[in-house]
Amino acid sequence: MAALPPRRFAGLHLSDGISPGNLVASMIMAFAATMIITFLPAAQPLLLLGVLDGQGADQGRVVALLAAAAEIAMILSLPWYGALADRFGRRPVVVTGFALCGLSTLLFPYAGNVTVLVALRVVFALGVAALNGMLATVAIDYVRDRSRGKSYGLIGLFSGLGAMVAVLGLVRLPAIIERNLGGDGGRAATVDAARYSFLIVAVIVLAVAALMWVTISRIRVDAASARIPLVRLVREGFALARDPGVALSYAASFVARADLSIVAAFLPLWVVVHGVREGGLSPVEAVARGGAVVGVAQTVATLGAPLFGWLGDRLRRQDAVLVAQALAAVAYLSTLLVDDPLGPGMMAVAALIGLGEIAAIVSAGPLLAQQVPPAVRASAYGVQTLCGAVGILVISAVGGTLFGSWRPAAPFAVAGVAGLLVVAFGLVVRRRVVPRPQQEQGETPAVRPAVP
């Protein structure tokens, strides 16, 4: 019997057994995951100032402790989540990720001390690790190789929209609720507003978890992975780096994820510090200006995601990574030309940074999918996401140190140099990148439900 033509939806060629509903579920997953991942850091000052009664002198230490605990939890768990997804299927890991994020969000405003807050932050980070690894994996599982760039582009688009909803809508909930509660506007009202706000967000996230249980495909990409021990799957994820294409994808993720973190952390800080010290702005005005600059970068990144996804399907995967990393490096190094972060030139640089940031993120995933067998695909994406987490730690630490000792553009310069090193590595190995044969790329998943 003649093979049926591949199904198409939203311009994407779907893998066998994948429905349009499954693909829509992956977009909802990207939106909701990025929304909650963005919401917590943005709302964290409310927890420190309101719920913990403003332990002013300790706030810097607490923030650093929370960040360190979260990164360590992610680094330790990411490879195991990938192995679990290969062994038991994607759906249980996705649902677990949303459930952990939702439950910890619900409990955050009830943390009476720093120890409890750190413990909840670790639980939240474990949920984030599960979602980060599965976003890339599901985006690749659901479409054929020819559409994987566009699939990543759509994931980037919906992730950007989720981030915008978080920073423009959800973080304003406490202020809205506090006004409606009335009272004297003291700490009690702030605590109540925080608890109601986090309750609303938690209910949304837990509802998404339930939705994912129903809508994420139960079809296994490769039935053989159900019989592979977890330790072997984790080990295989690291061993795959012997392939030049996989090594390039891992290196690109190391830089790309750090780029994203640097934009969120250091771009507004640069603007605020300069605005207060030299620009004559009040702290509130400086924060607003910094938010506008970041908003330009993220808006351009969101709009550019589908464009770079489309472009990635028209270039060789390794060439797409090289173009993206080169663009990102130029964008980040261009910050060295900015003397006044309050001037119009900064907006142009922010737009360029947004393009480079999303290009680097969108291009690395399809290259990895092209190079790894389906039986260990999620394990490979777990290691790739781990590389990104380590990149955030290393580049942020070096750039943060140089921010004060050299110049505010230092973190971006460090990221730019790291991007150039990836380009140099890519030029060395690009001719040695040999795509796996199509029949080994999971184009036709085995129709077997995963173990719930």
Side-chain angles (χ1 to χ4, degrees), residues 31-82:
F31 177 91
T34 310
M35 180 188 73
I36 184 59
I37 291 170
T38 305
F39 168 76
L40 182 67
Q44 188 167 274
L46 177 64
L47 297 175
L48 299 178
L49 293 172
V51 179
L52 292 182
D53 200 17
Q55 300 172 17
D58 295 328
Q59 284 180 35
R61 180 185 62 83
V62 172
V63 169
L65 181 61
L66 291 172
E71 286 298 323
I72 291 171
M74 290 185 64
I75 288 172
L76 294 178
S77 63
L78 277 165
W80 294 100
Y81 275 130

Side-chain angles (χ1 to χ4, degrees), residues 23 61 85 89 130 136 155 213 274 345:
L23 189 64
R61 180 185 62 83
I155 289 293
W213 184 258
H274 181 87

Side-chain angles (χ1 to χ4, degrees), residues 32 35-36 94-107 131 198-214:
M35 180 188 73
I36 184 59
V94 171
V95 173
T96 298
F98 277 115
L100 290 175
C101 287
L103 291 173
S104 54
T105 299
L106 178 65
L107 296 174
L131 295 176
F198 276 67
L199 171 63
I200 291 171
V201 175
V203 168
I204 294 173
V205 174
L206 292 174
V208 172
L211 178 64
M212 292 297 104
W213 184 258
V214 177

Side-chain angles (χ1 to χ4, degrees), residues 346-444:
M346 188 60 166
M347 291 298 186
V349 169
L352 186 60
I353 284 175
L355 283 177
E357 168 195 325
I358 199 62
I361 292 173
V362 167
S363 62
L367 172 61
L368 184 61
Q370 171 186 277
Q371 299 301 122
V372 301
V376 291
R377 180 181 295 158
S379 299
Y381 277 99
V383 175
Q384 186 196 50
T385 310
L386 169 65
C387 290
V390 175
I392 290 172
L393 278 179
V394 174
I395 296 180
S396 295
V398 176
T401 300
L402 295 176
F403 182 93
S405 62
W406 179 37
R407 58 192 297 178
F412 307 94
V414 172
V417 171
L420 291 179
L421 292 176
V422 173
V423 171
F425 174 65
L427 290 174
V428 171
V429 304
R430 65 185 291 268
R431 294 187 182 277
R432 294 164 48 199
V433 176
V434 179
R436 295 184 64 84
Q438 288 292 313
Q439 63 267 25
E440 294 184 15
Q441 292 185 20
E443 298 280 64
T444 308

